[in-house]
Amino acid sequence: MNKRAVGTAYEKRAGEYLVRQGYEIVAYNFRCRYGEIDIIARDGEYLVFVEVKYRKNIGSGNPLEAVNAKKQHIISRVASYFCLTNGYDENTPCRFDVVAILGDEISLIRNAFDYAGY
């Protein structure tokens, strides 16, 4: 499988995991000129922007380490664009979560980082 197909498979797996945690999936792979967000979901009152990171094993590094300041900035800008173009106002509570998949283990980090779209 190519990298995009692998990514899509693990994003789907992450989405299924989130649904089991009570999330409602709004969109997969939202893209705009600023970048992409893997999953957008609702979790109670929150609109949640989820980054999915997969690593086959720890030798490739911890998947959480891949969500660095630059990636957070991109996700934040895409989230702003999504809200603007989809009727969400500035009072909509938003959160940034990360689903880390290491081998067969899935971890969910709620509120993994603050908005960084400045």
Side-chain angles (χ1 to χ4, degrees):
M1 263 197 294
N2 66 33
K3 283 181 89 172
R4 185 66 239 153
V6 169
T8 298
Y10 281 101
E11 287 162 4
K12 186 75 169 164
R13 186 171 167 205
E16 292 166 355
Y17 174 82
L18 291 172
V19 168
R20 289 193 304 273
Q21 302 303 310
Y23 289 58
E24 177 188 340
I25 304 299
V26 173
Y28 283 96
N29 302 110
F30 176 78
R31 288 182 175 89
C32 68
R33 65 181 181 196
Y34 301 115
E36 175 192 359
I37 293 178
D38 295 328
I39 299 173
I40 301 170
R42 297 292 309 205
D43 181 30
E45 67 178 325
Y46 287 93
L47 182 62
V48 186
F49 300 94
V50 183
E51 177 68 8
V52 178
K53 286 297 178 188
Y54 164 75
R55 296 293 182 266
K56 186 175 185 176
N57 57 51
I58 200 70
S60 304
N62 187 312
L64 294 175
E65 294 169 351
V67 187
N68 58 26
K70 180 180 178 181
K71 186 69 175 173
Q72 292 173 23
H73 178 74
I74 291 167
I75 294 167
S76 295
R77 288 191 58 176
V78 176
S80 292
Y81 184 82
F82 177 85
C83 288
L84 180 69
T85 59
N86 286 277
Y88 293 96
D89 66 26
E90 65 273 357
N91 296 318
T92 302
C94 295
R95 193 174 75 215
F96 299 94
D97 292 1
V98 175
V99 172
I101 303 174
L102 182 57
D104 290 328
E105 237 177 87
I106 299 178
S107 302
L108 170 62
I109 311 302
R110 295 175 196 254
N111 205 27
F113 61 91
D114 293 325
Y115 178 79
Y118 33 82

